[in-house]
């Protein structure tokens, strides 16, 4: 067996999985996009451009997605990177496992339950009531872009933390020591060594979060 044949055989299971779970659903969506509403509800197969003619009516949803998805990804990155750096570089090994478990604990609960918890926290009886009590009245948080961003950051932060943590944890600490011994400022060491070597983790985390946010429905709803 040649090396090329062996590579294709190794890629076949994952390739088949992506074909079935990604391309086929997209094909179904494309076919349904030309369909018509059935008399009893749902969609019946047809060839109609009505859905495409009606695209301007969906402009607001598209604009909100293209705005909140990048902002949510950037906000998650700005919060996740210091946390991942702290876990990978600053924390003793005996505490890392405990802290990593705490980061992933929210995933033990359904995203639906966590979203409803944020509805209560941002609703009239939550944080706005506390602000009223301290004299800041009339603040409305629920059903705003701010509320959506809070839900996005809370829901997707672990997906940003872990790829960055893995990149930083694999970082050769001797490079940081050598930079310090040569008299480099800590910020110089970070910008010229730590940040460039952690870019693969940043790219992975941003892709994970951004792709999922582009199709997010529950949190905005």
């Amino acid at each position: 067996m040649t090396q090329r044949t062996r590579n294709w055989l190794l890629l076949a299971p994952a390739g088949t999985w992506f074909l079935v779970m990604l391309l086929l659903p997209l094909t179904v969506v494309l076919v349904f996009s030309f369909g018509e509403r059935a008399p009893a509800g749902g969609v019946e197969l047809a060839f109609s451009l009505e859905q495409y003619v009606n695209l301007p009516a969906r402009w607001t949803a598209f604009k909100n997605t293209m705005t909140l998805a990048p902002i949510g990804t950037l906000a998650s990155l700005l919060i996740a990177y210091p946390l991942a750096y702290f876990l990978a570089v600053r924390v003793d090994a005996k505490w890392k496992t405990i802290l990593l478990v705490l980061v992933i604990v929210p995933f033990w609960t359904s995203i639906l339950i966590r979203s409803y918890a944020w509805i209560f926290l941002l609703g009239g009886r939550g944080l706005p009531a506390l602000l009223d009590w301290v004299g800041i009245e009339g603040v409305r948080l629920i059903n705003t872009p701010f509320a959506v961003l809070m839900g996005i950051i809370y829901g997707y932060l672990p997906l940003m933390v872990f790829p960055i943590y893995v990149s930083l944890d694999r970082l050769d600490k001797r490079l940081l020591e050598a930079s310090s011994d040569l008299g480099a400022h800590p910020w110089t060491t970070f910008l010229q060594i730590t940040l460039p070597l952690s870019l693969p983790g940043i790219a992975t985390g941003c892709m994970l979060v951004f792709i999922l946010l582009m199709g997010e429905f529950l949190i905005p709803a």
Side-chain angles (χ1 to χ4, degrees), residues 81 84-91 96 165 167-198:
Y81 196 97
Y85 181 86
F86 176 77
L87 293 174
V89 179
R90 299 298 183 182
V91 175
K96 281 187 179 182
Y165 167 79
S167 293
L168 292 172
D169 192 53
R170 293 177 177 176
L171 182 65
D172 190 348
K173 304 303 188 294
R174 293 174 297 180
L175 296 175
L176 306 180
E177 295 173 358
S179 177
S180 178
D181 292 340
L182 291 172
H185 191 274
W187 273 109
T188 303
T189 301
F190 173 78
L191 294 175
Q192 296 187 359
I193 297 178
T194 305
L195 184 60
L197 293 178
S198 63

Side-chain angles (χ1 to χ4, degrees), residues 40-53:
V43 179
E44 61 181 6
L45 296 180
F47 186 79
S48 171
L49 298 178
E50 180 182 355
Q51 307 296 337
Y52 292 91
V53 173

Side-chain angles (χ1 to χ4, degrees), residues 1-2 9 12 22 33 37 61 73 76 81 87 118 125 146-147 159 177 190-191 193-194 196 212 221:
M1 184 183 297
T2 64
L9 289 176
L22 180 64
S33 71
R37 287 192 177 275
T73 302
S76 298
Y81 196 97
L87 293 174
W118 274 106
R125 292 180 295 175
F146 173 79
L159 294 181
E177 295 173 358
F190 173 78
L191 294 175
I193 297 178
T194 305
L212 293 175

Side-chain angles (χ1 to χ4, degrees), residues 1-220:
M1 184 183 297
T2 64
Q3 181 65 36
R4 185 173 183 178
T5 303
R6 189 182 300 111
N7 292 340
W8 278 109
L9 289 176
L10 291 173
L11 290 172
T16 304
W17 175 264
F18 278 109
L19 177 66
V20 173
M21 301 303 293
L22 180 64
L23 294 183
L24 289 184
L26 289 177
T27 303
V28 172
V29 171
L30 179 63
V31 172
F32 276 21
S33 71
F34 293 102
E36 297 179 343
R37 287 192 177 275
V43 179
E44 61 181 6
L45 296 180
F47 186 79
S48 171
L49 298 178
E50 180 182 355
Q51 307 296 337
Y52 292 91
V53 173
N54 197 35
L55 279 179
R58 298 177 172 85
W59 167 248
T60 300
F62 180 78
K63 180 182 65 176
N64 290 341
T65 299
M66 296 305 298
T67 301
L68 291 175
I71 293 176
T73 302
L74 179 60
S76 298
L77 174 61
L78 294 177
I79 297 174
Y81 196 97
L83 177 58
Y85 181 86
F86 176 77
L87 293 174
V89 179
R90 299 298 183 182
V91 175
D92 293 335
K94 62 180 181 180
W95 292 104
K96 281 187 179 182
T97 302
I98 297 176
L99 295 177
L100 287 173
V101 169
L102 291 177
V103 172
I104 205 173
V105 156
F107 280 114
W108 296 357
T109 307
S110 168
I111 183 64
L112 180 62
I113 296 176
R114 288 184 279 142
S115 298
Y116 270 107
W118 274 106
I119 290 176
F120 176 80
L121 290 173
L122 299 176
R125 292 180 295 175
L127 185 58
L130 179 61
L131 294 176
D132 286 342
W133 184 71
V134 299
I136 304 175
E137 300 179 355
V139 176
R140 180 174 177 267
L141 299 178
I142 198 67
N143 297 326
T144 64
F146 173 79
V148 176
L149 285 176
M150 290 295 293
I152 285 173
I153 294 170
Y154 177 78
Y156 289 95
L157 187 63
L159 294 181
M160 184 71 76
V161 169
F162 281 105
I164 299 175
Y165 167 79
V166 171
S167 293
L168 292 172
D169 192 53
R170 293 177 177 176
L171 182 65
D172 190 348
K173 304 303 188 294
R174 293 174 297 180
L175 296 175
L176 306 180
E177 295 173 358
S179 177
S180 178
D181 292 340
L182 291 172
H185 191 274
W187 273 109
T188 303
T189 301
F190 173 78
L191 294 175
Q192 296 187 359
I193 297 178
T194 305
L195 184 60
L197 293 178
S198 63
L199 286 179
I202 294 175
T204 302
C206 288
M207 284 192 296
L208 281 174
V209 173
F210 181 76
I211 290 172
L212 293 175
L213 288 184
M214 287 294 290
E216 177 60 48
F217 172 78
L218 180 62
I219 294 175

